Amino acid sequence: MHDDLISRAEAWLAEDPDTETREELAKLIDAGDTAELSARFSGTLQFGTAGLRGELGAGPMRMNRSVVIRAAAGLAAYLKKDGHTGGLVVIGYDARHKSADFARDTAAVMTGAGLRAAVLPRPLPTPVLAYAIRHLGAVAGVEVTASHNPPRDNGYKVYLGDGSQIVPPADAGIAAEIDAIVSLHDVPRPDAGWETLDDAVLDAYLARTDAVLAEGSPRTARTVYTAMHGVGKDVLLAAFARAGFPEPVLVAEQAEPDPDFPTVAFPNPEEPGAMDLAFARARATDPDLVIANDPDADRCAVAVRDGADWRMLRGDEVGALLAAHLVRRGARGTFAESIVSSSLLGRIAGKAGLPHEETLTGFKWIARVDGLRYGYEEALGYCVDPEGVRDKDGITAALLVTELASQLKEEGRTLLDLLDDLAVEHGLHATDQLSVRVEDLSLIADAMRRLREQPPTELAGLAVVRAEDLTRGTEKLPPTDGLRYTLDGARVIVRPSGTEPKLKCYLEVVVPVADHAALPAARARATELLTAIKRDLSAAAGI
């Protein structure tokens, strides 16, 4: 075992094109560090519908140039088999460690394989890449990003020519081509031959952002903005300037790209503490709202003054607000969301006479809904211009929510007032999440097995009316590893995260509200129910 491990590591080392990871691996081999080598050579990073994502480092279980070159070669082979020889692949990247290297390697591999490659001019938001695919008529796109993961991670996201992320069976097809690559020496990587795009594609994206706003709408809301050490700032500021909004006040400490994300434990606006600097800036400047992007700017977080201080709105609250705003503006088309998002969207769409669809989790599914006009999911992702960007877009979502805040401001109202109106009209839809991060992935499998073998019959005193194992699929949904419980007045979904070592439980309770005066009691009841569901679900899952 030991000799086999060392020889596999040495074979990998002989092919590794990166001096940094070569040195790292050589040290581990010299030290005979079998524990660390085992962790890195226990398999290969699996290419799935989220593409690749993992910790940077040497070896097949880490993100590095060798893994990326194989992934790019597999994608190229898949595209050629699919009849796209000579087609254009457009490549974007964020400001994380190694992102520019991975983008360059991808361009070299595509060029060597007889495809045309074009790389975005510098680190830019993921939605710019998603837009560029359709705008340039590409056959595929690659975004090098780990989105809001910890600083030591990076990732590789693949889109096909329709501008949306891959779904099965494309992921398995690409994975099979990656597995078929015997040696990196078989992958041609010329030093030149691809195009580095200029700002024309970014200018076209920015011109397109105007389309999300209503002509002549009020543009008065003042914002505090944080880029969370990512790549959103310049594009968001340019979009806000074009739209005629007041210039956002920046959270200076987080405004510039920094792959080490020094001011946050996790660069995700949903994580505790991530918004602290933004709230401090808001207390000092008293804006109408706070806006945050995640590091690749495909997500958008919104915070508002609530009483004496600031609070971040849940993704489901922003999802409902944007839907209500679009309905009021006369939007037509399908409103879609993932199954883990709030059922309030369905009620808003239904009352407006608009079609409503639920999909599996992830924008790769939401973006594929026929006739999509608006899509969102609770993890701060909103697609408000599906013709331009078939993915979540934190820049256009920020524009739309600031337009809504401006309109309400003109009426002497706030986003919270509109949320109250929606609760009175449709019932108070309160959502929460029970999210358990684990070191040992087997704990997640154990919890799922426990729930399958002994499904709860009641949670928080509410009867479980229907228990569904989503691995079997439903009439409308393809199979996925998840469990859905429909309760009398509540809904629970349990699933392993697709991108992080987490078990995620999505909870929603719906409490009827007679009028505005009944809202405080309804909120108290919702909080009580959510707390009790969390407690009972934890016990049932053994987490």
Side-chain angles (χ1 to χ4, degrees):
M1 167 61 194
H2 173 263
D3 291 348
D4 173 52
L5 180 63
I6 295 292
S7 62
R8 276 188 297 143
E10 285 173 339
W12 184 273
L13 179 66
E15 286 191 353
D16 190 337
D18 188 329
T19 49
E20 215 171 302
T21 43
R22 284 172 63 83
E23 278 175 25
E24 184 186 311
L25 188 52
K27 277 182 187 163
L28 294 174
I29 294 169
D30 291 347
D33 189 341
T34 49
E36 186 60 30
L37 286 169
S38 296
R40 289 160 185 250
F41 286 85
S42 59
T44 53
L45 273 189
Q46 286 309 296
F47 186 93
T49 50
L52 291 169
R53 205 177 278 192
E55 194 177 331
L56 290 163
M61 287 295 287
R62 297 285 184 268
M63 280 298 292
N64 50 62
R65 289 183 58 199
S66 298
V67 164
V68 163
I69 290 164
R70 284 172 184 274
L75 173 60
Y78 173 83
L79 290 170
K80 285 162 76 173
K81 267 193 184 164
D82 213 24
H84 293 304
T85 301
L88 174 69
V89 179
V90 58
I91 301 149
Y93 59 102
D94 67 11
R96 283 178 180 262
H97 293 295
K98 298 281 183 191
S99 287
D101 294 344
F102 295 166
R104 188 178 190 280
D105 282 330
T106 302
V109 170
M110 295 302 159
T111 305
L115 290 143
R116 290 181 300 125
V119 185
L120 292 183
R122 58 184 168 283
L124 286 167
T126 294
V128 177
L129 180 273
Y131 169 79
I133 295 164
R134 290 163 66 81
H135 178 66
L136 298 172
V139 298
V142 170
E143 176 69 25
V144 180
T145 180
S147 189
H148 56 277
N149 274 38
R152 63 176 184 275
D153 289 6
N154 213 329
Y156 199 80
K157 199 187 273 197
V158 176
Y159 297 74
L160 291 180
D162 61 355
S164 49
Q165 296 174 46
I166 53 166
V167 293
D171 56 341
I174 297 167
E177 297 294 345
I178 295 171
D179 291 344
I181 292 154
V182 180
S183 163
L184 284 193
H185 299 311
D186 303 337
V187 180
R189 293 198 333 272
D191 291 331
W194 58 90
E195 182 187 358
T196 300
L197 295 166
D198 60 19
D199 275 357
V201 70
L202 175 61
D203 294 341
Y205 167 81
L206 283 168
R208 177 85 209 177
T209 61
D210 301 351
V212 306
L213 302 174
E215 216 169 301
S217 62
R219 312 273 166 99
T220 53
R222 294 180 309 107
T223 53
V224 159
Y225 171 72
T226 176
M228 205 69 63
H229 299 297
V231 299
K233 180 197 75 171
D234 292 347
V235 179
L236 182 127
L237 289 181
F240 270 57
R242 281 183 71 97
F245 286 114
E247 187 178 343
V249 172
L250 298 178
V251 178
E253 303 91 329
Q254 299 174 333
E256 298 305 325
D258 186 332
D260 295 318
F261 304 105
T263 67
V264 288
F266 287 94
N268 176 358
E270 292 180 295
E271 292 281 349
M275 296 288 283
D276 287 358
L277 287 169
F279 291 163
R281 200 84 190 92
R283 287 181 205 112
T285 57
D286 196 30
D288 297 298
L289 69 167
V290 173
I291 287 174
N293 285 138
D294 68 337
D296 69 328
D298 62 352
R299 293 165 200 248
C300 175
V302 180
V304 293
R305 182 182 284 290
D306 189 2
D309 208 356
W310 287 81
R311 91 168 163 93
M312 197 167 106
L313 296 176
R314 304 191 76 87
D316 284 318
E317 292 177 308
V318 177
L321 287 167
L322 292 177
H325 182 45
L326 288 169
V327 164
R328 185 173 167 180
R329 274 182 25 186
R332 309 306 298 163
T334 303
F335 280 30
E337 62 183 322
S338 60
I339 54 170
V340 299
S341 305
S342 170
S343 59
L344 178 53
L345 185 71
R347 301 211 180 177
I348 292 170
K351 184 150 189 194
L354 297 174
H356 169 252
E357 290 282 339
E358 281 191 323
T359 73
L360 292 185
T361 313
F363 264 82
K364 56 185 176 280
W365 298 108
I366 295 170
R368 284 186 157 69
V369 167
D370 275 349
L372 181 68
R373 173 59 187 87
Y374 167 64
Y376 98 92
E377 67 177 3
E378 50 67 51
L380 312 183
Y382 314 94
C383 172
V384 300
D385 176 24
E387 286 308 301
V389 175
R390 290 247 163 124
D391 198 5
K392 54 188 179 290
D393 182 346
I395 306 293
T396 48
L399 287 170
L400 195 63
V401 79
T402 308
E403 177 183 64
L404 171 59
S406 300
Q407 194 172 341
L408 291 165
K409 186 179 180 177
E410 302 292 295
E411 299 164 11
R413 286 153 44 80
T414 66
L415 295 176
L416 292 181
D417 293 328
L418 180 51
L419 282 173
D420 286 351
D421 292 352
L422 292 172
V424 172
E425 193 176 349
H426 303 286
L428 175 69
H429 290 62
T431 55
D432 204 355
Q433 207 186 102
L434 172 64
S435 183
V436 185
R437 188 180 283 272
V438 297
E439 290 293 322
D440 178 2
L441 286 174
S442 69
L443 295 174
I444 292 177
D446 291 346
M448 294 297 286
R449 193 185 63 244
R450 202 172 284 122
L451 288 170
R452 284 191 170 103
E453 287 169 3
Q454 294 176 305
T457 53
E458 65 163 43
L459 295 166
L462 304 175
V464 175
V465 185
R466 190 162 86 238
E468 298 167 278
D469 186 342
L470 299 176
T471 44
R472 301 191 182 102
T474 70
E475 270 176 45
K476 292 205 156 185
L477 299 170
T480 185
D481 186 8
L483 300 164
R484 177 163 63 181
Y485 303 114
T486 306
L487 293 89
D488 193 9
R491 183 217 65 200
V492 173
I493 291 175
V494 184
R495 60 179 276 273
S497 166
T499 53
E500 298 172 278
K502 279 181 175 180
L503 182 70
K504 290 185 157 184
C505 312
Y506 302 85
L507 326 173
E508 178 176 49
V509 299
V510 183
V511 181
V513 185
D515 53 29
H516 281 78
L519 276 168
R523 286 214 171 85
R525 172 68 179 147
T527 303
E528 181 190 318
L529 282 172
L530 287 168
T531 304
I533 291 173
K534 273 188 186 176
R535 179 196 64 218
D536 295 353
L537 188 61
S538 293
I543 49 177

